[in-house]
Each structure stands twice: as structure tokens, then as C-alpha cells.
């Protein structure tokens, strides 16, 4: 291993067009934070940089759907994401954003340097154009069928189903997401980065010199390199992004994947005047934490750009994780099939460590993994509460009972095999955890810590210090026996307490707020958490009095889990979209099972008119509608806010399920449901009579 003087850690820039979900956390933020906290405890020179990626097409799409400006979109989601990361204790040294001026300047300079060095190919090509919407269509605006897996909703740049990177030309039956029109080709000029020129170098650098990279990362790179690289356009037709710094390029911006990784450099500049030490000195260890969908950008394209530029260091490692699924299905923002971090923190206040724990214990380090609420409950209750929390709590309760709330002495002369075995385990754990973290095996490292706590429980169970105390109280116990018993109790409690101190050090990178609580209970300062203290047995001084125990973790109850599962299953778009996904070949929703006429007759459909509509606070997808049914007015909450602006739909006639049981959504009672048609692309349309019809008319 090379001898590095400083470490620079980056975590993928989350895209500021939606809140953060647990897949993001498991993919890179939690692993990166564990690594960084560990290195800080090692007293190494390390910087942890990140920020929101605020350019690119999905943001303009969202802005259009919500009827606001792209800047409004990124302002809103940047704030939500930043807050979620902070409350999850992800300890960035700086969390910046790519709409900052310093970033526009840095990205622009980077592009200009490559341009001045004559590295770009200038090409006029035919690009897809939407004649209805009168605009060039960026890759993301085009959907169609994936030529590789047949997913009917693949994007022009990537298929989210199979992870293949695509170009719009490869899509079968392409269509515009703006107007649903079939796009046509039109001429436009762009600047291409000739990746193929870097292929021999990349083969040497990745395939020969980085055999140490994780198998999933190395494998994906190899497959890219084996397939051969091609020039890639580094500019796009759009008005949102970093403007192309060349004359006569109005309406053209840098490709988001050109500017986003440069965001790491901009953020470091913003953080410190010494930024060049971290980016330009060869003895810097640069580590990119990302999810698997970003591998090609961080292992091939960005390194080739850095190499072409010439002034910057290249990554030492890119420990990408695979995907985290949710309850057996792919996490999907558009289908609202996700556990949103801001909502989790609301429902499970103060339990960020439980989520950090489960997402690490179940991290998709080598393959896709599944998050289930049942597993969350199980791991929280039977590992955090029953093993780790239980050991620390028992130790503190016993210490207050048996050794007057003080750290008792250790009597070496009577140390037995169990004591020696525990001492060995404590000393060994340090190396095991350390080696695993250095190799980015965070699950393995965490299991070692939990295993050490388990050994502590077993030790207490075998020693039974409470029985020896009982013995001392019984009549007729001689003074020497009583003294001997107290010494045995002392040894047991002394070791259990030193183990507790060790557990605080070892758990700190993973569960920082738990480590903090433990420090408070032990009345020691942060410095005790320095990694060099791990494996030591004299962390707490003999005679030192400690505080009463605090609850480190609480049990998660069945009702809480049920509530979460109901929330997930109740997400309005879920049912329809699930069906359409299982019918990819035909692109049609599956037919539901047959019902009898009587079942149908139970439904009371009525024609109504929307008389008022407004957004529901803190709910992106919901509109609160007032509907005139003729015989009465109803409030209906409907999940259509991403599709329609409130002012657009006032006066529209709709079909209402009028006898649906009332349901509370975000504190508003919804009385009924409006019928919508949804096409394969997820577009919603109202179902209404084709002529104006009296409100209250029945539909059957
Ligand atoms: Zn595919």
C-alpha cells in the first residue's frame, strides 16, 4: 500500500430533485461517514466533501411539472437533503451545491482548459427534437423500450431496470416525455470528449493497477473497457446548467456528468485555501463513495477527464455499493416506493443510529440487498437492544449495585481463564475492525463490534457477579470468603467496564450518537474515542465514579412496523404501477381478478366539478380539492400534484367515487376519490363525461 499523507473522501452528489431515501444512505453516505469518522479517530489528515447536484434534465422536468423555476426546485430539495444528512449524523466537512458561483467558475475553467488544449471533437449531429414542444430533447426527456432488457420505460441515457447505459438512438419506439410525440432528428453542434483515446491508458490504470478494487466495480469497468469506448458529448442543449464558455453557444450547457464530479473540486475549494494539496499532490489518497449506477462516471469518464486536464490526482479507490431494494422491490422515487429519510426521522425521532445500524448490517456491499421493516425491527430489537444495549446497561446497573458506582480495582493474582479470554478478545477486536474498515468491509467491521458485546454478555452470564454478592449477605460467610468474593466481583466489573469503554471507541464510526451517550455515562471526554485507545484495558481509572445508565436504544414495536408497511403499500400510485411493471412485455396493466355484478353495484360514482384546488403543505404529490356534487360539497385529497397545477383544474368535471370511507391524509379528511386514467409513462388524465353534465349525476 502506498504511503499517503492526506485523504480526500467524496460521496456521490445527491440529485436535488427529490428528498433523500434509504437507498442513498446505504449506497454511499453511511459507508463514507463510517470511513471518515474512523480515519478522524486515527488522527489522519482527512477531508470529507459533498454537495447537491443541481443541474440536469430531471430538475427541469420537475420544475415544469410543479410549475416553478429550476432554482426553486433545487433550493427546496437541497435544504431537505442537507437537513436529512445532518440529522443522520453524516459528518461532511462541507456540503455544497453545484449552483454555487465557485462551481460554475471551476467547471467552466476545466472545460476551457480541455478546449484550449484542443482535446474536444466539435461535431454537428442530428439530435432528437420535439416539434410540439419546440425544443431539443435531452436524453432524459426521451423514453422508450430498452434494447437490452425490454423495459418499456427506459430513459435515453440509462435503463433503470437493468442499469445499462444507453443512448437515445438505441431505444425502441422512442417518445418525448414532454408531449408524448415521436421525436424527430434535427441538427445541433456539440463538443465531444474522445474517450477512446484514453482506452489504452484506462486499461492499464484500472485493469492492471487496480486489481484491488471491489469485484463489482472492477467487473463493471472491465465490461465497459472490453466493449470499447466512444466519444461522448460533453455539452447539451438546455438553459439550465453551467453555460458553455465559448462564443455563440447560447442555449448550450455542460453535460451534467461533466460538471457534477468537478463539484467535488469546487466544494474543496470552498472548504479550504489548501484545496490544491488535496487535489494536486500525489501523496493524497482520493476515495469516491458512490452507488453502482455511478461507477462508469467515477471509474472511467471522470478519471479520463482528470488525466486529460493533467493537474489532478486520480482516485485510489471507488468502493461502490450495489443497490438496496425495499420489501423485495426496486426503490423508486416516481412510484413513491421508498423510505424517505426526513419521514423516517419524524416517525423515529432520535433513532438515527438504529437506521445507520441496519443499513450497515444489511449493506449491499457485494450484491443487491433488501431492506424490510421486519428485518429493521428484528435487528434493532435483537441486536442493538438485546446484545449491545443490554450489555452496557447491565454493566452499569451492576456497577452501581455491586461496586458503589465506581470503577473497582483489578486483582491480577486471581485473574482466571475467562478474564484472560475476554482481555484477548478486546485486544484482538481493534485489529479486526481496523483491517475491515481499511478494506471498505463495513459490515464485517460492525459484526465484530457486536460480537465483542455478545462476548461481554456471555462473560457476565458465566461470572454471575450478582450471586457472589448474594453469598456475601448470607449469614456465616467468613470474612476471608467475603473478601475473596468481593475481589471476584471487582475483577468482573472492572473488565466489563473497560470493555464498555472499548465498545464506545469501536462503535463510534458506525453509531456516533450512541458513542456520545456512552461517553456521558462514563464521564470521559471525546479524546477517549481516539482510535489508539482501542484494545487498551486501562481506559477508566480505578476509583472513578460513573453516572447512572442511560437507555442507548429502544425496542421497535409491532404497531410501528405495521404503520410503516401500511404507508408504503398505501402509496396511491403503487398498485397500478406494480401491475404495469409485471407486464413489461405488453406494456399493459395486469387484469384484476373477475368480480360479480353485486360487487360493482356497491360503488357509487357521481359526476362533480372541481371548485377549488390547492397544494397540501409538506406533501409534494397531494392536492386538496373542493368538489361540488350537486347535493353537497366534498373535500377530496388527491395524489395528482405532480401532474396538474391547482389553477389548471378548477372548473373541470370529474368522476368521484362518492361512497368511499373517509380517510385522513396529512391531517385532512378526504371524502371520496376522483377517477384518473394512467398511461404506461405514468401520465394521468381525468375521466369525465364528454359533455357538461349536471353535478351529482350517477355513473354506472
Ligand atoms: Zn434495460
Amino acid at each position: 500500500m502506498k504511503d499517503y499523507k492526506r485523504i480526500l473522501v467524496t460521496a456521490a452528489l445527491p440529485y436535488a430533485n427529490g428528498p433523500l431515501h434509504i437507498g442513498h444512505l446505504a449506497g454511499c453516505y453511511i459507508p463514507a461517514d463510517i470511513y471518515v469518522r474512523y480515519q478522524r479517530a486515527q488522527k489522519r489528515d482527512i477531508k470529507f466533501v459533498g454537495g447537491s447536484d443541481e443541474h440536469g434534465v430531471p430538475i427541469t422536468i420537475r420544475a415544469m411539472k410543479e410549475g416553478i423555476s429550476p432554482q426553486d426546485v433545487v433550493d427546496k430539495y437541497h435544504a431537505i437533503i442537507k437537513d436529512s444528512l445532518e440529522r443522520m449524523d453524516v459528518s461532511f466537512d462541507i456540503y455544497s451545491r453545484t449552483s454555487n458561483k465557485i462551481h460554475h467558475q471551476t467547471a467552466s475553467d476545466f472545460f476551457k482548459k480541455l478546449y484550449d488544449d484542443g482535446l474536444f471533437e466539435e461535431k454537428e449531429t442530428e439530435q432528437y427534437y420535439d416539434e410540439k414542444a419546440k425544443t431539443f430533447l435531452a436524453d432524459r426527456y426521451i423514453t422508450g423500450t430498452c434494447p437490452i432488457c425490454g423495459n418499456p420505460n427506459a430513459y435515453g441515457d440509462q435503463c433503470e431496470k437493468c442499469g445499462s447505459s444507453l443512448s437515445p438512438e438505441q431505444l425502441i419506439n422512442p417518445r418525448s416525455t414532454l408531449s408524448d410525440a415521436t421525436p424527430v432528428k434535427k441538427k445541433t453542434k456539440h463538443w465531444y470528449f474522445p474517450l477512446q483515446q484514453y482506452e489504452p491508458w484506462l486499461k492499464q490504470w484500472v485493469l492492471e493497477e487496480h486489481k484491488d478494487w471491489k469485484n463489482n466495480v472492477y467487473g463493471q469497468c472491465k465490461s465497459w473497457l472490453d466493449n470499447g469506448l466512444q466519444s461522448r458529448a460533453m455539452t447539451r442543449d438546455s438553459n439550465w446548467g453551467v453555460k458553455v464558455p465559448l462564443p455563440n453557444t447560447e442555449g448550450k450547457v455542460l453535460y451534467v456528468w461533466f460538471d457534477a464530479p468537478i463539484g467535488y473540486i469546487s466544494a474543496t475549494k470552498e472548504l479550504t485555501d489548501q484545496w490544491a494539496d488535496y487535489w494536486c499532490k500525489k501523496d493524497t489518497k482520493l476515495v469516491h463513495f458512490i452507488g453502482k449506477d455511478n461507477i462508469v462516471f467515477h471509474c472511467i469518464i471522470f478519471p479520463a477527464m482528470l488525466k486529460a486536464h493533467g493537474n489532478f490526482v486520480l482516485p485510489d479507490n471507488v468502493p461502490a455499493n450495489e443497490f438496496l431494494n425495499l420489501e423485495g422491490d426496486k426503490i423508486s422515487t416516481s412510484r413513491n416506493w421508498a423510505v424517505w429519510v426526513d419521514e423516517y426521522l419524524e416517525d423515529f425521532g432520535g433513532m438515527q443510529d438504529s437506521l445507520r445500524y441496519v443499513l450497515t448490517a444489511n449493506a449491499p456491499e457485494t450484491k443487491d440487498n433488501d431492506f424490510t421493516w421486519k428485518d429493521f425491527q428484528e435487528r434493532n430489537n435483537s441486536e442493538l437492544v438485546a446484545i449491545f444495549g443490554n450489555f452496557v446497561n447491565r454493566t452499569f446497573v451492576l456497577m452501581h449495585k455491586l461496586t458503589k458506582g465506581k470503577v473497582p480495582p483489578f486483582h491480577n493474582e486471581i485473574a482466571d481463564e475467562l478474564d484472560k479470554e475476554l482481555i484477548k478478545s478486546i485486544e484482538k477486536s481493534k485489529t479486526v475492525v481496523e483491517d475491515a474498515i481499511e478494506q471498505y468491509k463495513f459490515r464485517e467491521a460492525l459484526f465484530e463490534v457486536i460480537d465483542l458485546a455478545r462476548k461481554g454478555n456471555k462473560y457476565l452470564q458465566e461470572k454471575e457477579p450478582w450471586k457472589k454478592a448474594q453469598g456475601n449477605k448470607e449469614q456465616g460467610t467468613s470474612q476471608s470468603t467475603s473478601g475473596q468474593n468481593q475481589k471476584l466481583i471487582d475483577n468482573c466489573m472492572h473488565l466489563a467496564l473497560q470493555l464498555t469503554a472499548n465498545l464506545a471507541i469501536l462503535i463510534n464510526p458506525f453509531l456516533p450518537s450512541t458513542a456520545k451517550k456512552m461517553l456521558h455515562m462514563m464521564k470521559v471526554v471525546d479524546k477517549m474515542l481516539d482510535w489508539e485507545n482501542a484494545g487498551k484495558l486501562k481506559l477508566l481509572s480505578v476509583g472513578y465514579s460513573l453516572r447512572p445508565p442511560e437507555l442507548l436504544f429502544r425496542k421497535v414495536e409491532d404497531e410501528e412496523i405495521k404503520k410503516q408497511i401500511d404507508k408504503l403499500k398505501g402509496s396511491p400510485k403503487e398498485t397500478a404501477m406494480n401491475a404495469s411493471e409485471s407486464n413489461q412485455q405488453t406494456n399493459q396493466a395486469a387484469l384484476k381478478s373477475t368480480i360479480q355484478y353485486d360487487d360493482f353495484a356497491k360503488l357509487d360514482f357521481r359526476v362533480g366539478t372541481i371548485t377549488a384546488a390547492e397544494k397540501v403543505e409538506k406533501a409534494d404529490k397531494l392536492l386538496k380539492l373542493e368538489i361540488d356534487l350537486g347535493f353537497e360539497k366534498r373535500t377530496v385529497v388527491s395524489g395528482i400534484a405532480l401532474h396538474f397545477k391547482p389553477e389548471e383544474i378548477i372548473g373541470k368535471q370529474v368522476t368521484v367515487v362518492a361512497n368511499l370511507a373517509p380517510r385522513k391524509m396529512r391531517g385532512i379528511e378526504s371524502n371520496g376519490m376522483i377517477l384518473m386514467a394512467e398511461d404506461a409513462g405514468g401520465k394521468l388524465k381525468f375521466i369525465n363525461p364528454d359533455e357538461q353534465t349536471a353535478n351529482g349525476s350517477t355513473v354506472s
Side-chain angles (χ1 to χ4, degrees), residues 146-151 154 159-164 166:
C146 170
I148 292 151
C149 75
N151 166 24
C159 171
E160 294 192 334
K161 190 89 190 171
C162 68
S164 305
L166 302 170

mmCIF file of all heavy atoms in Angstrom, residues 146-151 154 159-164 166, ligand 1:
data_model
loop_
_atom_site.group_PDB
_atom_site.id
_atom_site.type_symbol
_atom_site.label_atom_id
_atom_site.label_comp_id
_atom_site.label_asym_id
_atom_site.label_seq_id
_atom_site.Cartn_x
_atom_site.Cartn_y
_atom_site.Cartn_z
ATOM 1 N N CYS A 146 -36.041 -0.485 -23.636
ATOM 2 C CA CYS A 146 -34.624 -0.822 -23.501
ATOM 3 C C CYS A 146 -34.291 -1.981 -24.435
ATOM 4 O O CYS A 146 -34.951 -3.012 -24.393
ATOM 5 C CB CYS A 146 -34.315 -1.199 -22.057
ATOM 6 S SG CYS A 146 -32.671 -1.891 -21.817
ATOM 7 N N PRO A 147 -33.271 -1.819 -25.294
ATOM 8 C CA PRO A 147 -32.930 -2.896 -26.232
ATOM 9 C C PRO A 147 -32.307 -4.090 -25.515
ATOM 10 O O PRO A 147 -32.207 -5.174 -26.086
ATOM 11 C CB PRO A 147 -31.911 -2.237 -27.164
ATOM 12 C CG PRO A 147 -31.305 -1.134 -26.357
ATOM 13 C CD PRO A 147 -32.369 -0.660 -25.421
ATOM 14 N N ILE A 148 -31.916 -3.894 -24.265
ATOM 15 C CA ILE A 148 -31.222 -4.979 -23.564
ATOM 16 C C ILE A 148 -32.175 -5.832 -22.742
ATOM 17 O O ILE A 148 -32.172 -7.045 -22.824
ATOM 18 C CB ILE A 148 -30.073 -4.404 -22.711
ATOM 19 C CG1 ILE A 148 -29.011 -3.854 -23.683
ATOM 20 C CG2 ILE A 148 -29.431 -5.468 -21.822
ATOM 21 C CD1 ILE A 148 -28.210 -2.744 -23.188
ATOM 22 N N CYS A 149 -33.055 -5.166 -21.956
ATOM 23 C CA CYS A 149 -33.933 -5.964 -21.089
ATOM 24 C C CYS A 149 -35.413 -5.839 -21.438
ATOM 25 O O CYS A 149 -36.257 -6.496 -20.847
ATOM 26 C CB CYS A 149 -33.708 -5.599 -19.619
ATOM 27 S SG CYS A 149 -34.436 -4.023 -19.159
ATOM 28 N N GLY A 150 -35.757 -4.963 -22.373
ATOM 29 C CA GLY A 150 -37.159 -4.863 -22.765
ATOM 30 C C GLY A 150 -38.012 -3.976 -21.877
ATOM 31 O O GLY A 150 -39.223 -3.883 -22.060
ATOM 32 N N ASN A 151 -37.395 -3.307 -20.885
ATOM 33 C CA ASN A 151 -38.139 -2.379 -20.034
ATOM 34 C C ASN A 151 -38.734 -1.267 -20.905
ATOM 35 O O ASN A 151 -38.006 -0.567 -21.595
ATOM 36 C CB ASN A 151 -37.162 -1.811 -18.977
ATOM 37 C CG ASN A 151 -37.719 -0.595 -18.251
ATOM 38 O OD1 ASN A 151 -38.940 -0.421 -18.174
ATOM 39 N ND2 ASN A 151 -36.817 0.210 -17.726
ATOM 40 N N ALA A 154 -37.465 2.823 -20.337
ATOM 41 C CA ALA A 154 -36.055 3.170 -20.214
ATOM 42 C C ALA A 154 -35.855 4.624 -20.663
ATOM 43 O O ALA A 154 -36.601 5.134 -21.495
ATOM 44 C CB ALA A 154 -35.211 2.243 -21.070
ATOM 45 N N CYS A 159 -31.087 2.745 -18.603
ATOM 46 C CA CYS A 159 -32.231 1.931 -18.221
ATOM 47 C C CYS A 159 -32.121 1.672 -16.735
ATOM 48 O O CYS A 159 -31.146 1.079 -16.281
ATOM 49 C CB CYS A 159 -32.227 0.615 -18.985
ATOM 50 S SG CYS A 159 -33.475 -0.538 -18.370
ATOM 51 N N GLU A 160 -33.103 2.137 -15.980
ATOM 52 C CA GLU A 160 -33.026 1.979 -14.530
ATOM 53 C C GLU A 160 -33.360 0.558 -14.100
ATOM 54 O O GLU A 160 -33.123 0.180 -12.973
ATOM 55 C CB GLU A 160 -33.935 2.996 -13.842
ATOM 56 C CG GLU A 160 -33.439 4.407 -14.079
ATOM 57 C CD GLU A 160 -34.094 5.458 -13.201
ATOM 58 O OE1 GLU A 160 -35.230 5.222 -12.768
ATOM 59 O OE2 GLU A 160 -33.459 6.491 -12.975
ATOM 60 N N LYS A 161 -33.912 -0.186 -15.013
ATOM 61 C CA LYS A 161 -34.270 -1.573 -14.693
ATOM 62 C C LYS A 161 -33.036 -2.468 -14.688
ATOM 63 O O LYS A 161 -32.786 -3.182 -13.741
ATOM 64 C CB LYS A 161 -35.286 -2.068 -15.724
ATOM 65 C CG LYS A 161 -35.908 -3.393 -15.380
ATOM 66 C CD LYS A 161 -37.155 -3.184 -14.538
ATOM 67 C CE LYS A 161 -37.624 -4.529 -13.989
ATOM 68 N NZ LYS A 161 -38.692 -4.365 -13.015
ATOM 69 N N CYS A 162 -32.252 -2.419 -15.762
ATOM 70 C CA CYS A 162 -31.100 -3.318 -15.850
ATOM 71 C C CYS A 162 -29.789 -2.577 -15.643
ATOM 72 O O CYS A 162 -28.737 -3.188 -15.591
ATOM 73 C CB CYS A 162 -31.086 -4.070 -17.182
ATOM 74 S SG CYS A 162 -30.769 -3.043 -18.632
ATOM 75 N N GLY A 163 -29.853 -1.252 -15.481
ATOM 76 C CA GLY A 163 -28.642 -0.485 -15.188
ATOM 77 C C GLY A 163 -27.798 -0.185 -16.415
ATOM 78 O O GLY A 163 -26.748 0.433 -16.302
ATOM 79 N N SER A 164 -28.229 -0.607 -17.607
ATOM 80 C CA SER A 164 -27.420 -0.354 -18.804
ATOM 81 C C SER A 164 -27.391 1.133 -19.128
ATOM 82 O O SER A 164 -28.381 1.830 -18.980
ATOM 83 C CB SER A 164 -28.012 -1.062 -20.014
ATOM 84 O OG SER A 164 -28.153 -2.420 -19.768
ATOM 85 N N LEU A 166 -27.349 3.886 -21.896
ATOM 86 C CA LEU A 166 -27.882 3.855 -23.259
ATOM 87 C C LEU A 166 -27.681 5.188 -23.952
ATOM 88 O O LEU A 166 -27.385 6.194 -23.311
ATOM 89 C CB LEU A 166 -29.384 3.555 -23.222
ATOM 90 C CG LEU A 166 -29.838 2.257 -22.564
ATOM 91 C CD1 LEU A 166 -31.349 2.261 -22.409
ATOM 92 C CD2 LEU A 166 -29.397 1.061 -23.385
HETATM 93 ZN ZN1 LIG B 1 -32.799 -2.442 -19.579
#
